Amino acid sequence: MTAPLDLVAVRAAFDGGRDYLAACTGGLPPRRSRDALIADIMRSVTHGADAAAYSAIVEQTRQHAARLLQVSRDRIAIGSQTSVLVSLIAASLPEGSEVLVPDGDFSSLVLPFVHRGGLRVRCAPLAELADAVRPDTALVAFSIVQSASGEVADHAAITAAARAVGARTLCDGTQAVGWLPVDASAFDAFVVHAYKWLCAPRGVAFLALTEEFAATLTPLHAGWYAGADPWQSCYGDAATLASDARRFDVSPAWQAFVGAEPALGLFANADMSAIHRHTTELATRFLSGMGLPSPATPSAIVTWPDPDASDLTRLQAAGITASGRAGRARLAFHVFNDQDDVDRAIRALR
């Protein structure tokens, strides 16, 4: 096995990044993603779509996702958005099941359970989620990193509490994978949309499933790509679905995967511990410079109260791309950022 790419090599894969502190909203594409998308659209102008070539790219991207999530590729299903993959799980829960979620978690994780009907959705503060698990809880669904606040969940305590009562766990890693090392095998289900910290085009998502939990799910979105042999599953009602997690695949958005494959390959080959250290050190430097308290668990996302968006306005006036969520200003520090970005943000706010 080759040595992981160091931080210098990963940073060198990007052209942009200066004053862009919004990877939590959408990542910047690395050069190879840009070049792959341009080459694909130019080729398609004269040669059209090559479905077999696109499928090879999709499968390579699935392999990258498996490496990133530390599971085997047969445990990875592909999709388009978080809510689509979460709805697969929501639809398979027995009538009357209790689903426990954190207060204020991202809607794509929560609303599929709320609007399925016939489920009891209960909320608790993230810091108290493990203690809120009850004997009748069927599923605990939570983001490992909260979108609105950047708070990192104590996933070990949450999963332990769920296991103690026989509840399943669904973790959303969309705001984590790409800067926080994760092991998806710690959860019954793990979902991630790749357009944020993994710097892929929007429309590429993954669901990692344990074999035991997968056996309880219905292939709600089954189409031709969910077949054991997709090319023999294009017509009629006799197609045999894949025996592994591929039976839950959503037919892929080809061009999105063209851009996603180089981006996910970059992060799958990177030293994720070094990325985690780099991003959280930048965040800590910003917090210290602003006199803001540090979180219990370091995060690459920094937020603070900004109810009138005045701080966000100052950042934008200084040419810094940031975001605001739930009455808070929000900055994200990724591989393409450095200490100059931190210092420029502090100066803009002061």
Side-chain angles (χ1 to χ4, degrees), residues 106-271:
F106 196 70
S107 298
S108 294
L109 179 68
V110 177
L111 293 186
F113 299 106
V114 172
H115 294 290
R116 191 214 93 159
L119 301 177
R120 294 178 291 118
V121 179
R122 183 165 58 90
C123 301
L126 181 66
E128 302 171 15
L129 201 64
D131 293 334
V133 176
R134 302 188 303 208
D136 62 342
T137 302
L139 177 76
V140 185
F142 65 100
S143 296
I144 195 168
V145 176
Q146 293 292 297
S147 173
S149 67
E151 184 179 359
V152 180
D154 185 352
H155 64 86
I158 294 168
T159 54
R163 277 193 225 102
V165 299
R168 303 288 191 178
T169 52
L170 164 62
C171 184
D172 182 352
T174 300
Q175 290 290 6
V177 182
W179 71 268
L180 180 70
V182 298
D183 180 357
S185 66
F187 312 94
D188 294 290
F190 189 95
V191 64
V192 57
H193 198 159
Y195 77 104
K196 294 181 184 288
W197 296 90
L198 291 172
C199 300
R202 183 168 169 82
V204 176
F206 302 95
L207 176 65
L209 294 164
T210 64
E211 191 169 357
E212 181 187 14
F213 190 42
T216 71
L217 304 179
T218 301
L220 185 68
H221 309 302
W224 72 280
Y225 209 77
D229 179 357
W231 306 107
Q232 299 298 319
S233 305
C234 297
Y235 303 101
D237 62 356
T240 300
L241 294 184
S243 60
D244 57 15
R246 291 185 301 114
R247 68 184 180 274
F248 304 112
D249 280 359
V250 177
S251 181
W254 286 332
Q255 286 79 12
F257 276 84
V258 168
E261 190 279 323
L264 268 75
L266 175 67
F267 286 99
N269 287 295
D271 183 343

